[in-house]
Amino acid sequence: KRTWVIPNAVNQQFFDVVRAPTHHPHVICVAGVTDWKNPLFLAEAGDGLHEKFPDAEVHFIGACDPKHPYGRAFLEAIARRPWCFHHAHCPPEELIKQMTKATCAVLPSRQENFGLALAEALAAGIPAVGARVGGIPDVVRDGKTGFLFDLESPADLADKLVAIHSDPGLAARFSREAKADAQLRFSSQA
């Protein structure tokens, strides 16, 4: 018997993103604010990035229920971090605008079947950083299109974020590889 893995195709609009990354770290996380998507982990790890790059910004893009304990904890955590921004209602054109400026995309999920948000980031040529869980390692090619990190260690994620933003050559290589890899694996022609 043979098993064929056919990944989700990424919408052409993400391949068409014309990047103009900011000159300071502009990290995006496209995910709903839930325990299993784990954005609090990124906020905590972002402290290490912010320490090294005081002008760093982390943008969380996704719905949040402020009545849910996790949503409330998330909103309280980013309120203490003025360099963190939450975009709860993000129409497609705003998402594309955020992707245009992004220096990397992060998905800190505790579980994930595929990681479509990272595949879309790769299609846009954005270096991707994902948790080493579920299907994320099938999307992010560690050391080629971005990095994988261990969920047990916010410091590991912080180190990966600092590495991408400390080495413009590495970031540029990840960007080129990301776009090419996404075209081969995630385009509707793949």
Side-chain angles (χ1 to χ4, degrees):
K1 291 186 173 185
R2 286 188 158 176
T3 301
W4 296 91
V5 176
I6 303 172
N8 292 6
V10 170
N11 189 299
Q12 185 61 41
Q13 71 180 351
F14 296 103
F15 288 99
D16 295 340
V17 169
V18 178
R19 292 189 66 228
T22 60
H23 296 290
H24 61 277
H26 186 104
V27 178
I28 62 170
C29 175
V30 181
V33 177
T34 63
D35 180 55
W36 66 282
K37 289 291 188 177
N38 204 21
L40 275 170
F41 187 88
L42 173 56
E44 184 179 335
D47 291 341
L49 177 66
H50 182 67
E51 184 177 304
K52 178 83 173 166
F53 296 95
D55 57 351
E57 295 179 4
V58 179
H59 293 263
F60 297 91
I61 303 165
C64 176
D65 180 358
K67 295 177 184 168
H68 188 278
Y70 190 90
R72 192 168 40 257
F74 167 78
L75 293 172
E76 290 169 1
I78 67 167
R80 294 188 303 271
R81 294 170 169 92
W83 43 271
C84 287
F85 303 89
H86 179 231
H87 309 270
H89 305 287
C90 188
E93 58 275 3
E94 177 60 25
L95 174 59
I96 297 298
K97 183 178 173 185
Q98 287 294 329
M99 293 179 94
T100 299
K101 299 186 286 187
T103 54
C104 78
V106 178
L107 190 58
S109 298
R110 295 178 195 278
Q111 59 183 354
E112 195 70 52
N113 290 329
F114 177 64
L116 183 60
L118 291 179
E120 291 168 346
L122 295 174
I126 302 168
V129 182
R132 191 176 278 110
V133 298
I136 293 175
D138 293 326
V139 176
V140 179
R141 303 222 190 247
D142 194 29
K144 289 188 61 98
T145 62
F147 287 123
L148 296 172
F149 64 89
D150 295 315
L151 271 177
E152 297 81 37
S153 173
D156 185 34
L157 174 53
D159 290 346
K160 301 289 177 25
L161 293 173
V162 168
I164 286 175
H165 293 96
S166 296
D167 185 344
L170 176 67
R173 182 172 57 81
F174 281 172
S175 178
R176 285 189 307 275
E177 292 284 336
K179 188 92 167 171
D181 186 57
Q183 189 65 46
L184 288 174
R185 298 190 305 138
F186 307 127
S187 71
S188 60
Q189 296 82 26

